[in-house]
Amino acid sequence: MMQSAKTQTAKRQIVETQTASDPVRPGELLLSLRGVSKQFGAVSALTGIDLDIHAGEVVALVGDNGAGKSTLVKILSGVHRPTGGTLSFRGREVSLGGPGDALELGIATVFQDLALCENLDVVANIYLGQERNPWRLDEVAMELRAWTLLTELSARIPSVREAVASLSGGQRQTVAIARALLLDPKIILLDEPTAALGVAQTAEVLNLIERVRERGLGVVMISHNMEDVRAVADRIAVLRLGRNNGIFYPDASNQELVGAITGASDNVVTRRAARRARQDPAQQDTTQGATP
Amino acid sequence: MSAEAGGTSPRVPLDRADVRVRHEAGLAGSLRGFVARVRAGDLGALPVVVGLVLISAVFQSLNPVFLSSNNLVNLLFDSATTGIIALGIVLVLMVGEIDLSVGSVSGFASALVGVLWVNQGWPAAAAILVALAAGGACGAVYALLFNRLGMPSFVSTLAGLLSVLGLQLFLLGATGSINLPYESALVDFGQTLVMPHALAYALALLAGAGLALSGQREALRRREAGLSAAPLAGICLRAGLLAAVLVLVVWYLNLDRGVPWMFALFVALVMAVDYALRRTRWGRAMAAVGGNREAARRAGIDVRRITASAFVLCSTFAALGGVLSAARLASASQQAGTGDVNLNAIAAAVIGGTSLFGGRGSAYAALLGILVIQAIASGLTLLDLSSALRYMITGGVLAVAVIVDSLARRSRVSHGRA
Ligand SMILES: Nc1ncnc2c1ncn2[C@@H]1O[C@H](COP(=O)(O)OP(=O)(O)OP(=O)(O)O)[C@@H](O)[C@H]1O
Ligand SMILES: [Mg+2]
């Protein structure tokens, strides 16, 4: 046990010197995936995925339910090991042995299921695994920093000393996002970060994504909300049935995107839109007028 | 947010800005908050304290010897051994696992001390160290089976219960029991050694002073940082109350022999474990692993190492408890660690308020729980009841404790405090 602890600290030091000595250049290629695949038994969740993430860039990852978006995020955060393919971080091939390795590289994640400990309070959850002073936890400093992070997200959390079990879904999501920001990461992976958020909190998260981009971080955002995606993304990568299905830019039409997501230009979404346009042209006009 | 913050006075602490929360201020407020917490199923130590008072009242009315200083001092001697084992159980329960073999491990450790020290002529200290290491090795085996082979701790420790008992019987061989020398320091420690009376008083007062001082420092730091803090009067009141109760207890015990050193060792271990669980990164990780193993893993915590530390510490504490009970009985026998030792240790941890569902518990649970268990055992012995009845009653108390735990858990879930 002593031995493994020693090698682990040694590894940590190497990672630190490599990344710390070398500040991120704007536009630098941070993370690059080549031919990544993941098999769950007989299910091929991902097949031959290629993806690049640059510093100062927001990449949106879209796709239908079960397309493999969360699986991809879990591979990038070290939760799952890929079955095949390579992962390079800043030009160097890496293999993530576990979530700890990803965190050390500077890859922070907000998981779809949030991965919070319900029995611990908000401060403990935000600092989990990263507590200050391991032998004498500095609760005051941690609580202060927690409040600062939460205020930045205009969180509405009554008390950071309540167990997370007592928070609403959106409050929990805010806590999970605050936790991802704690470590000053180089890349943030957000798996449906706004799914449960209110109007103000969603806007705050989108603002935050833009601020994070301006600070030169890479952002991967998964969302089913095309409006949000278009609002902040620099590139939109579409996954379909576990495969790359095209890269789009925010100026792509809705039809193009939906076509790539569902795999056909004649699909349930376009048929519905056409039907509604026939039935009620007036309403169609107003909604279109409201969008820009 | 900004409108609210602007509306209230600028001196509102950072954590009191939300207008929806009713924050209790002052002493009456603290009391109201306590009642609300209990209602929501956050029972803390309350049921145990109430239970202890009830048990004492019943047994005292049946036999006036029960609350005599002499009986209480004996009770503390007996509590220390199983209490230390229960302390280990608290740790495995924290990570959501169980160790059913602590009784056997304690018996094995006592046999090892008997054989190495008395039969082989080793120095006592060396024999004890080997016994503790052997206990730790048992825990390491469970951790290996759990982490590498995914064997549920329930099964592996059940297998361990039998195998280690076999080892104990093998060590003791045909004679079946080894008497430890009465003149030795170890047996003295287990049977007679008590704190000097003045020292016990001093420690009782020191505990109060320590609580007041640390509470004060904490409150000061929080206020400096712009956070809300407990009122000064409340801190002093609590510290004063603690000191008064402790001094009273020490005075009563000093009427007879005094506070056993063995019990003092137990309390010191409880305090050390309590600090480790509440104020270190390791303790946070223990609670996280027990609460949500996958979330702990994703936070970069080495969950295997944390689980292993719980198993190893539990078995080591079990071995220490076994050594001390050998000292208490001045013998290492085939009966050591069998019978109700296992159940009592687990029951003590659960009765004290450690959740069987993982992630909730405190070191003080072992202290409070073992006092309840030993009070019942001592009371029933005084009434000269058969061990048949004793087993049934202790089993019933354990059942009640688990029911309270489950009900409290359900209430916590519905009140959002899980
Ligand atoms: N742990 C697992 N074991 C087995 N199969 C899995 C596992 N995780 C995901 N899968 C499978 O992989 C596929 C992709 O799942 P994934 O969670 O990545 O989808 P998603 O794109 O995130 O969907 P959603 O939009 O619903 O969140 C699904 O078919 C799912 O059944
Ligand atoms: Mg998903």
Side-chain angles (χ1 to χ4, degrees):
Chain A
M1 215 147 87
M2 291 291 280
Q3 192 80 34
S4 80
K6 226 179 269 172
T7 55
Q8 216 167 28
T9 48
K11 202 168 66 188
R12 190 166 295 158
Q13 270 159 2
I14 292 169
V15 170
E16 260 168 17
T17 49
Q18 275 177 353
T19 52
S21 65
D22 200 8
V24 177
R25 285 172 283 110
E28 177 190 347
L29 179 61
L30 283 178
L31 193 63
S32 126
L33 286 71
R34 289 292 171 265
V36 168
S37 52
K38 176 69 187 176
Q39 216 99 25
F40 289 111
V43 180
S44 296
L46 293 174
T47 316
I49 298 291
D50 294 341
L51 187 68
D52 289 330
I53 299 148
H54 299 86
E57 178 187 44
V58 178
V59 179
L61 206 54
V62 299
D64 253 338
N65 293 133
K69 306 177 299 290
S70 297
T71 308
L72 187 58
V73 159
K74 283 181 187 164
I75 286 175
L76 297 182
S77 58
V79 172
H80 290 325
R81 277 169 172 277
T83 326
T86 58
L87 237 107
S88 314
F89 187 78
R90 311 184 75 182
R92 207 166 44 86
E93 198 170 306
V94 290
S95 92
L96 303 175
D101 291 355
L103 288 171
E104 275 164 39
L105 286 176
I107 304 175
T109 314
V110 177
F111 293 98
Q112 189 169 13
D113 61 5
L114 304 183
L116 299 172
C117 286
E118 301 223 323
N119 57 327
L120 299 181
D121 65 20
V122 174
V123 179
N125 265 292
I126 288 179
Y127 267 94
L128 193 56
Q130 315 293 340
E131 292 88 355
R132 297 192 188 179
N133 300 7
W135 298 108
R136 192 163 204 293
L137 298 187
D138 189 348
E139 295 287 353
V140 177
M142 292 200 290
E143 190 170 333
L144 260 185
R145 179 96 170 94
W147 276 115
T148 319
L149 284 169
L150 291 169
T151 313
E152 248 171 61
L153 294 168
S154 40
R156 301 198 147 265
I157 288 181
S159 160
V160 292
R161 287 300 174 192
E162 259 338 303
V164 163
S166 68
L167 299 186
S168 77
Q171 290 170 333
R172 288 181 205 201
Q173 206 152 37
T174 320
V175 172
I177 296 173
R179 171 154 99 192
L181 294 175
L182 176 72
L183 287 180
D184 281 326
K186 302 206 163 41
I187 294 188
I188 296 192
L189 313 174
L190 303 157
D191 194 346
E192 304 199 18
T194 56
L197 295 188
V199 185
Q201 285 74 25
T202 301
E204 211 57 70
V205 168
L206 295 182
N207 285 344
L208 172 93
I209 289 175
E210 278 167 353
R211 283 207 303 276
V212 165
R213 168 174 53 196
E214 272 150 33
R215 269 176 25 206
L217 277 71
V219 181
V220 175
M221 181 180 79
I222 295 177
S223 176
H224 289 297
N225 185 333
M226 289 305 140
E227 235 170 90
D228 292 354
V229 165
R230 238 190 268 271
V232 293
D234 297 306
R235 284 189 299 141
I236 304 170
V238 179
L239 285 191
R240 187 173 130 66
L241 300 177
R243 292 171 192 274
N244 283 116
N245 204 25
I247 300 276
F248 294 82
Y249 293 87
D251 55 4
S253 74
N254 226 8
Q255 201 168 355
E256 278 178 289
L257 274 178
V258 173
I261 291 170
T262 57
S265 55
D266 179 38
N267 57 53
V268 58
V269 183
T270 54
R271 279 200 301 273
R272 180 178 157 80
R275 196 180 68 229
R276 285 178 59 99
R278 272 200 310 276
Q279 280 172 351
D280 190 1
Q283 192 191 342
Q284 184 72 7
D285 282 351
T286 53
T287 51
Q288 268 179 349
T291 326
Chain B
M1 185 78 202
S2 57
E4 269 166 31
T8 46
S9 100
R11 293 193 51 223
V12 172
L14 198 50
D15 50 345
R16 290 290 157 90
D18 197 312
V19 291
R20 285 165 303 168
V21 188
R22 200 182 63 241
H23 293 291
E24 307 287 10
L27 281 184
S30 311
L31 204 68
R32 269 200 304 277
F34 173 71
V35 172
R37 271 207 307 284
V38 169
R39 284 235 176 116
D42 205 352
L43 302 177
L46 188 72
V48 202
V49 174
V50 170
L52 207 53
V53 171
L54 273 179
I55 291 166
S56 311
V58 169
F59 283 124
Q60 178 68 13
S61 67
L62 292 175
N63 186 337
V65 176
F66 181 75
L67 281 182
S68 67
S69 305
N70 179 31
N71 192 46
L72 291 187
V73 171
N74 282 338
L75 199 149
L76 292 190
F77 267 114
D78 290 331
S79 296
T81 57
T82 319
I84 288 174
I85 302 176
L87 192 56
I89 293 287
V90 168
L91 293 177
V92 282
L93 287 182
M94 272 302 275
V95 296
E97 301 300 328
I98 186 73
D99 187 344
L100 298 172
S101 71
V102 283
S104 296
V105 170
S106 75
F108 174 56
S110 71
L112 213 52
V113 167
V115 168
L116 292 179
W117 179 35
V118 180
N119 291 5
Q120 306 284 322
W122 287 33
I128 292 172
L129 279 182
V130 168
L132 295 185
C138 289
V141 170
Y142 299 145
L144 212 65
L145 291 174
F146 180 84
N147 285 333
R148 299 292 157 188
L149 304 179
M151 198 167 170
S153 57
F154 170 76
V155 181
S156 61
T157 58
L158 204 56
L161 185 155
L162 276 183
S163 334
V164 176
L165 179 61
L167 276 177
Q168 177 188 353
L169 299 186
F170 172 79
L171 268 186
L172 291 171
T175 53
S177 129
I178 299 167
N179 290 328
L180 306 187
Y182 264 100
E183 275 67 52
S184 64
L186 184 61
V187 173
D188 243 12
F189 183 73
Q191 294 195 334
T192 50
L193 274 187
V194 293
M195 272 189 195
H197 291 188
L199 180 62
Y201 282 122
L203 286 179
L205 291 174
L206 202 67
L211 186 66
L213 227 66
S214 69
Q216 206 97 308
R217 257 218 335 248
E218 171 96 12
L220 210 70
R221 279 204 62 202
R222 287 183 64 89
R223 262 190 218 106
E224 270 172 10
L227 297 169
S228 66
L232 199 99
I235 296 170
C236 290
L237 192 75
R238 279 179 55 191
L241 218 64
L242 178 77
V245 168
L246 286 180
V247 165
L248 203 71
V249 169
V250 166
W251 167 78
Y252 195 66
L253 294 173
N254 280 351
L255 290 182
D256 189 61
R257 283 156 288 168
V259 183
W261 269 115
M262 192 157 71
F263 189 75
L265 170 69
F266 171 42
V267 173
L269 286 174
V270 166
M271 286 167 68
V273 171
D274 179 63
Y275 178 87
L277 282 179
R278 283 190 311 110
R279 299 299 301 273
T280 70
R281 184 182 283 179
W282 172 81
R284 232 357 101 69
M286 292 275 288
V289 169
N292 186 342
R293 206 177 159 78
E294 179 60 20
R297 187 173 87 87
R298 290 193 195 167
I301 292 172
D302 189 342
V303 287
R304 288 180 169 181
R305 211 150 76 198
I306 296 294
T307 316
S309 73
F311 279 120
V312 169
L313 278 174
C314 175
S315 296
T316 310
F317 276 130
L320 180 60
V323 172
L324 292 182
S325 71
R328 175 93 183 110
L329 300 170
S331 84
S333 72
Q334 290 186 341
Q335 275 73 48
T338 60
D340 54 359
V341 173
N342 244 334
L343 185 74
N344 279 351
I346 297 171
V350 176
I351 288 171
T354 303
S355 174
L356 285 169
F357 306 102
R360 291 181 75 88
S362 106
Y364 285 100
L367 179 60
L368 286 170
I370 199 62
L371 287 180
V372 171
I373 291 278
Q374 282 303 335
I376 294 172
S378 156
L380 294 177
T381 311
L382 284 180
L383 293 180
D384 225 359
L385 290 181
S386 70
S387 59
L389 221 58
R390 260 186 28 213
Y391 283 162
M392 282 191 263
I393 291 177
T394 313
V397 170
L398 175 61
V400 169
V402 174
I403 290 168
V404 168
D405 178 33
S406 311
L407 290 183
R409 179 181 146 96
R410 214 186 283 167
S411 171
R412 280 197 308 271
V413 169
S414 69
H415 285 78
R417 283 171 179 273

